[in-house]
């Protein structure tokens, strides 16, 4: 199998036109046209580097204006009475995380991205993090290649096994 990185919108389009068999997508795009298996749940949080604790929390790096970014900006302004200042917009959470790690500014990230950089810490705020879920997403579980099944068995063994058991059950047991 080949592993390629796409933005969620591109991955979704590739699934729709059948040029990609599996996509791992965060739930900030419409997944209703697909079958999904939950892989991970977490929270978007505001992070800074422990090495640069003096950085102002209201100057932030974001991805482009996605749903979670807009919700967070609105909640922050309501809680603190001032808007967040966008220091930088990037298309990659990994890029933002690495810039945060180097002390460029604070960053709004999903917690799984920050886990890879031990100096990043979530900033305690009056507002909770915004939850997200990551799904293994396919057009149909019924038409997966052997390689795709192997990937899903490896990455989501318990859930994928349940899906296969359900699909292979006689119709009267469904």
């Amino acid at each position: 199998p080949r592993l390629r990185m796409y933005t969620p919108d591109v991955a979704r389009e590739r699934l729709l036109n059948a040029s990609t068999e599996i996509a791992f997508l965060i739930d900030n795009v419409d997944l209703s046209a697909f079958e999904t298996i939950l892989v991970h749940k977490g929270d978007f949080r505001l992070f800074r580097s422990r090495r640069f604790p003096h950085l102002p929390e209201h100057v932030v790096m974001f991805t482009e204006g996605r749903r979670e970014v807009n919700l967070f900006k609105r909640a922050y302004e309501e809680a603190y009475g001032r808007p967040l200042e966008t220091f930088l917009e990037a298309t990659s959470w990994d890029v933002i995380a690495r810039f945060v790690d180097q002390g460029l500014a604070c960053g709004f990230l999903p917690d799984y991205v920050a886990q890879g950089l031990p100096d990043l810490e979530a900033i305690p705020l009056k507002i909770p993090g915004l939850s997200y879920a990551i799904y293994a997403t396919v057009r149909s579980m019924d038409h997966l290649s052997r390689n795709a099944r192997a990937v899903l068995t490896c990455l989501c063994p318990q859930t994928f096994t349940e899906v296969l058991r359900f699909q292979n059950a006689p119709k009267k047991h469904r």
Side-chain angles (χ1 to χ4, degrees):
R2 277 189 231 152
L3 177 64
R4 296 189 180 172
M5 304 297 283
Y6 300 108
T7 62
D9 294 329
V10 171
R12 186 180 179 288
E13 286 305 311
R14 290 184 61 87
L15 279 170
L16 285 170
N17 68 26
S19 60
T20 292
E21 196 167 8
I22 305 170
F24 291 89
L25 294 169
I26 202 159
D27 60 351
N28 62 359
V29 295
D30 179 18
L31 301 178
S32 61
F34 308 106
E35 293 186 50
T36 60
I37 298 173
L38 179 66
V39 176
H40 177 77
K41 283 184 171 188
D43 292 304
F44 283 95
R45 307 281 309 253
L46 190 58
F47 288 90
R48 71 171 155 228
S49 173
R50 286 182 177 90
R51 297 186 323 263
F52 303 95
H54 64 281
L55 291 173
E57 73 181 36
H58 67 280
V59 180
V60 181
M61 292 181 281
F62 292 102
T63 55
E64 62 275 2
R66 293 192 178 133
R67 178 181 61 90
E68 65 276 2
V69 169
N70 296 331
L71 288 171
F72 181 73
K73 285 180 175 181
R74 193 172 24 245
Y76 185 94
E77 187 168 358
E78 287 174 10
Y80 290 94
R82 68 174 177 193
L84 287 165
E85 188 178 317
T86 300
F87 180 78
L88 172 81
E89 280 190 359
T91 57
S92 165
W93 288 316
D94 188 55
V95 168
I96 292 170
R98 292 185 188 286
F99 283 165
V100 170
D101 189 49
Q102 295 303 310
L104 194 58
C106 297
F108 182 66
L109 302 164
D111 51 10
Y112 80 90
V113 174
Q115 288 173 357
L117 296 165
D119 283 336
L120 295 192
E121 65 180 359
I123 299 172
L125 298 173
K126 294 182 205 176
I127 55 177
L130 297 172
S131 63
Y132 68 85
I134 297 174
Y135 293 96
T137 310
V138 300
R139 285 171 52 96
S140 169
M141 294 289 179
D142 294 329
H143 300 96
L144 291 176
S145 69
R146 185 170 29 117
N147 286 343
R149 288 176 182 268
V151 167
L152 291 174
T153 300
C154 179
L155 294 177
C156 356
Q158 188 171 7
T159 309
F160 188 60
T161 302
E162 290 298 319
V163 168
L164 291 178
R165 190 174 301 131
F166 177 77
Q167 286 181 329
N168 295 328
K171 292 206 189 276
K172 67 180 182 178
H173 296 295
R174 289 188 183 183

